[in-house]
Amino acid sequence: MGPYIRRRLLQFIPIAFSICVLNFLLIQLAPGDLAEIVAGETGQGDAGADNAAYVAELRKSFGLDQPAWMRLLAYLGRLARFDLGYSHRFGAPVAELVGARIGASALLGLSSLAIAVVGGVLLGVLCARRRNGRLDRLVSALMALCYSVPVFWLALMLVVAFAVKLQWFPVGGMQEVGIEAQGRWAQVRDVLWHLVLPVATLSVYSLAVYARFTRASMLDALQEDYVRTARAKGLSEAAVLLRHALRNAVLPVLTLVGAHFGELLAGSIVVETVFSWPGLGKLTYDAVLGRDTSLLLSILFLSSMLVLATSLALDILTARLDPRIDLQR
Amino acid sequence: MSIPQPIPASVSAAASLSDSAPAPATPPSPARQTAAFPAQARLALAALLLVLLAAVCAPLLYPGDPLDMTLPPYLWPGQDWRHPLGSDLMGRDLGAGLAHGARVSLLVGAAAAALSLSIGVAVGTLAGWHGGWIDNALMRVTDFFQIVPRFLLAIVLVAALEPSLWVVVLALGVTSWTHTARVVRAEVLGLRNREYVQAGIAAGMGQARIVLRHVLPNALTPILVSTSIVVAGCILSESALAFLGLGDPNLPSWGAMIASSREAIQSGWYMIAIPGAAVTLTVWSLNVLGDALNQYFNPKLRDRA
C-alpha cells in the first residue's frame, strides 16, 4: 500500500510542475503584455510620449524586465503561496473571485456527479442483466443520443420546455431575490428548485458514460468463475449481481470518475452560462467575454490541479479496495 | 467534448471496455447478428450522407452570404414554403445558415481530427517503437494532456490567439490526440515483436521503412475506427466554442446560430431547436458509425456486445 501511494504521488509531481510551466508559457504568449494592457485601461497610454515611459515603469513594477527564468521562479514562488494574481478586468484578486464562486460550482458539480454515477451504475447493471434484451437495446440507443447532444443546446431546450412553456422550474439563477426573509428552510428549498434543470443537463452526458462502462464491466464480471460458483450455491439473482459481480465491476468505474472529472468541469462552463449559475463556469465565460486571459489561465490551472487531485485520490481509493493493484507494476 | 475518455494506465486491463461497450442494438436472432451493419448504423450512414450533401450543395441551394438579412424576422418553419426552415430574429434564412454551417462544422471536424490523428499517431508510434526513455517521456506528456481539462485548454488557446477558423482547428487538434496516441502505442508495442517485423530488422531494413511499410499499415484498423469518434468530438467542441463566442465571427456556424437566437427563447424557440438538432444528428451519426466500425473490425467484440 505505502510504496504504491508513494510511487503514484511521485508520478504526479512532474505533471503538476508541467501544468505550472505551461500556464506560465501561455501567459507569456498572450498578445500584449500586462503592462500595455494596464496602461491602455487606465487611459494613461494615450498620452503619446509619456506612454513608453509609463509602460516601462509598469513593466518594471510587474517584474517584466527580468529574464524569463527569473519570472518563472517568481511565478512558482507566488503559486506556492497560493497567490494566483490579480484580475484587472474584475478589479479583485483571482483567489477572491474564485473563492466566492467555488461553493455554487461544487454544489452543482457534486450533485450531478452523484446522480450520474448512481444512475449510470444502476442502468449499466440492469442492461447487463439481460444482455440484448429489450431494455438493453433501448438504453443503448438512448445513450448513443446522450453522447451526441451538445450540452448547451440540451440546457436551452430544457429551459424552453420546463421553464418557458410549462413554467415548472425557474429560467436561471441560484435563488429568488429576497428569499432569505422567509427563513432558512424556504431558502434551501428555493436553491434545490433552481438546481433541478442545471443538474439534469450536466448529468446526462456523464450518466451515459458511466452506464456504458458499467455495462461492459458487468458483462465481463458475470463471466467469471466466482459468479458461476455463487449461482451454483443457489444465491438469489440479486445477491449474485450486486454482492458478487457489481462489487468487482464497480472498481474500474471508480477510476473512470477521476479520468472523467475534467469533462464535468467543461460541461459546467456551458451549463452555468445558460442557467446564469453563479459558479466557476460562469466566471470562465465572463473571463472569455472580457478577454481576461490571466483570469482564464488561473482557472485552467486550478481546474487541472483539481482533476489531478481527484484522480490521485480515486487511484488510492481503488488500490485500497482492490489489493491486487498494489502488486501490479 | 464527446470523445470517450481514455482510462488511466492503472486500469489498462479494463481499458478495452471503453471501446467495446457502446453496442448499437444487435438483435439476438442469429440471422441478423451476422449482418455486417446493424440497422442503427445504416440510419446513421444515411444521416451523415444527408449532412454531407447539404454541405456540398450549400452554394447552389443558397447562393450569397448566409449571414445576409433578407427575410422578415421570426418567420416560423412552414410559414413560407420557399424558406421551409423559417428565419431568425434578424431575418436570416435558417436553411441557408444550416447548409453553410454544415460546411464549417464538417471542415473543422475533419481538419481538427486530421491534426489530432497526426499528433496521436506520431506520438504513439514513436513511444511504442522506441520504448525506453522516449516512451516514458512521451507518455508523461500524454498524461499531462489527459489531466488538463481539454475543453478549458481549447477555450484558453482560442481566447489567447483571437478566434478564427484555423485557430479553432489548432486548439481542438492539440487537445484531443491522447486517446489515439495510447491506442497506437499499444498496437505498435504488439506489432514490434512479430516475426515479419523482426525479420525486417534482421535483414537490415531502415527503421523508418519498417515502421511506415510494415507496422503502421497493420495498425490502421484501430486508427480508422477512432477517426469518426474524434471527428464527432471535434464537431461537438466546435459548436460549444462557437456558442461561447469563440468561433470565427465571419463564418456561419451552428453553435453561433444557437447563441444569437438565445434572446428569442420565449417566442421563437425553433431558431434554437433547428441548428441544435443538426449538431446532434451529425455527431450521433459519426458516433454510431464509429461504434459499428469497431464491432465490424473486432469480431471478438461482436458476440460480447
Side-chain angles (χ1 to χ4, degrees), chain A residues 291-305:
Chain A
R291 291 279 180 271
D292 191 338
T293 315
S294 66
L295 178 57
L296 265 182
L297 285 168
S298 303
I299 295 174
L300 177 70
F301 172 75
L302 283 175
S303 310
S304 311
M305 287 301 170

Side-chain angles (χ1 to χ4, degrees), chain A residues 97-112:
Chain A
L97 287 170
V98 169
R101 284 161 180 83
I102 203 148
S105 270
L107 179 65
L108 175 62
L110 293 178
S111 328
S112 309

Side-chain angles (χ1 to χ4, degrees), chain A residues 170-189:
Chain A
V171 175
M174 193 164 154
Q175 53 184 318
E176 293 297 327
V177 186
I179 193 78
E180 292 93 334
Q182 296 175 31
R184 196 151 192 81
W185 188 233
Q187 198 182 346
V188 169
R189 221 174 47 185

Side-chain angles (χ1 to χ4, degrees), chain A residues 119-184:
Chain A
V121 168
L122 204 70
L123 270 181
V125 171
L126 286 176
C127 285
R129 199 170 65 123
R130 295 242 184 287
R131 191 169 72 178
N132 288 331
R134 197 173 296 161
L135 179 81
D136 187 21
R137 284 185 325 210
L138 180 76
V139 170
S140 290
L142 255 177
M143 291 302 123
L145 211 57
C146 292
Y147 265 121
S148 314
V149 65
V151 177
F152 63 93
W153 182 66
L154 182 66
L156 286 169
M157 293 327 283
L158 287 180
V159 168
V160 167
F162 295 103
V164 174
K165 297 283 169 203
L166 295 170
Q167 305 202 331
W168 288 354
F169 299 105
V171 175
M174 193 164 154
Q175 53 184 318
E176 293 297 327
V177 186
I179 193 78
E180 292 93 334
Q182 296 175 31
R184 196 151 192 81

Side-chain angles (χ1 to χ4, degrees), chain A:
Chain A
M1 200 68 222
Y4 174 78
I5 295 177
R6 212 170 308 137
R7 201 173 52 230
R8 215 85 192 99
L9 278 170
L10 280 178
Q11 274 178 2
F12 277 101
I13 289 172
I15 298 181
F17 181 73
S18 359
I19 290 172
C20 299
V21 173
L22 171 89
N23 220 32
F24 175 76
L25 287 178
L26 284 172
I27 294 177
Q28 303 300 308
L29 282 178
D33 71 25
L34 193 58
E36 277 163 24
I37 294 170
V38 173
E41 269 173 12
T42 48
Q44 302 217 26
D46 303 331
D50 287 348
N51 186 19
Y54 181 63
V55 169
E57 193 183 308
L58 275 176
R59 197 166 273 161
K60 198 169 179 188
S61 76
F62 289 135
L64 289 172
D65 54 344
Q66 307 273 338
W69 63 271
M70 284 280 285
R71 276 180 287 153
L72 177 62
L73 280 184
Y75 176 73
L76 291 176
R78 283 200 302 275
L79 282 184
R81 292 195 305 270
F82 295 104
D83 176 3
L84 292 167
Y86 187 85
S87 164
H88 292 274
R89 184 75 54 185
F90 293 90
V94 171
E96 203 174 281
L97 287 170
V98 169
R101 284 161 180 83
I102 203 148
S105 270
L107 179 65
L108 175 62
L110 293 178
S111 328
S112 309
L113 187 65
I115 287 180
V117 171
V118 173
V121 168
L122 204 70
L123 270 181
V125 171
L126 286 176
C127 285
R129 199 170 65 123
R130 295 242 184 287
R131 191 169 72 178
N132 288 331
R134 197 173 296 161
L135 179 81
D136 187 21
R137 284 185 325 210
L138 180 76
V139 170
S140 290
L142 255 177
M143 291 302 123
L145 211 57
C146 292
Y147 265 121
S148 314
V149 65
V151 177
F152 63 93
W153 182 66
L154 182 66
L156 286 169
M157 293 327 283
L158 287 180
V159 168
V160 167
F162 295 103
V164 174
K165 297 283 169 203
L166 295 170
Q167 305 202 331
W168 288 354
F169 299 105
V171 175
M174 193 164 154
Q175 53 184 318
E176 293 297 327
V177 186
I179 193 78
E180 292 93 334
Q182 296 175 31
R184 196 151 192 81
W185 188 233
Q187 198 182 346
V188 169
R189 221 174 47 185
D190 188 54
V191 169
L192 286 180
W193 208 235
H194 283 79
L195 202 57
V196 173
L197 288 185
V199 166
T201 320
L202 193 52
S203 46
V204 158
Y205 178 76
S206 315
L207 193 131
V209 173
Y210 298 134
R212 174 173 155 162
F213 198 75
T214 307
R215 176 184 175 277
S217 183
M218 275 296 280
L219 285 180
D220 274 2
L222 283 173
Q223 289 178 353
E224 297 283 344
D225 291 339
Y226 56 77
V227 169
R228 198 185 312 133
T229 309
R231 287 220 168 97
K233 58 182 193 184
L235 287 184
S236 72
E237 188 62 22
V240 173
L241 277 176
L242 299 180
R243 279 228 305 276
H244 292 263
L246 181 62
R247 274 177 84 165
N248 289 286
V250 88
L251 281 175
V253 179
L254 213 62
T255 321
L256 184 67
V257 172
H260 193 70
F261 201 73
E263 304 284 298
L264 197 70
L265 284 171
S268 76
I269 298 172
V270 286
V271 170
E272 289 183 11
T273 302
V274 171
F275 289 102
S276 318
W277 190 262
L280 282 180
K282 183 76 171 52
L283 184 68
T284 311
Y285 179 66
D286 292 339
V288 170
L289 271 191
R291 291 279 180 271
D292 191 338
T293 315
S294 66
L295 178 57
L296 265 182
L297 285 168
S298 303
I299 295 174
L300 177 70
F301 172 75
L302 283 175
S303 310
S304 311
M305 287 301 170
L306 197 60
V307 175
L308 194 63
T310 314
S311 52
L312 186 61
L314 284 168
D315 274 355
I316 292 172
L317 184 65
T318 331
R320 277 221 109 96
L321 293 175
D322 186 351
R324 285 171 303 177
I325 289 177
D326 209 356
L327 305 172
Q328 285 170 13
R329 185 189 77 88

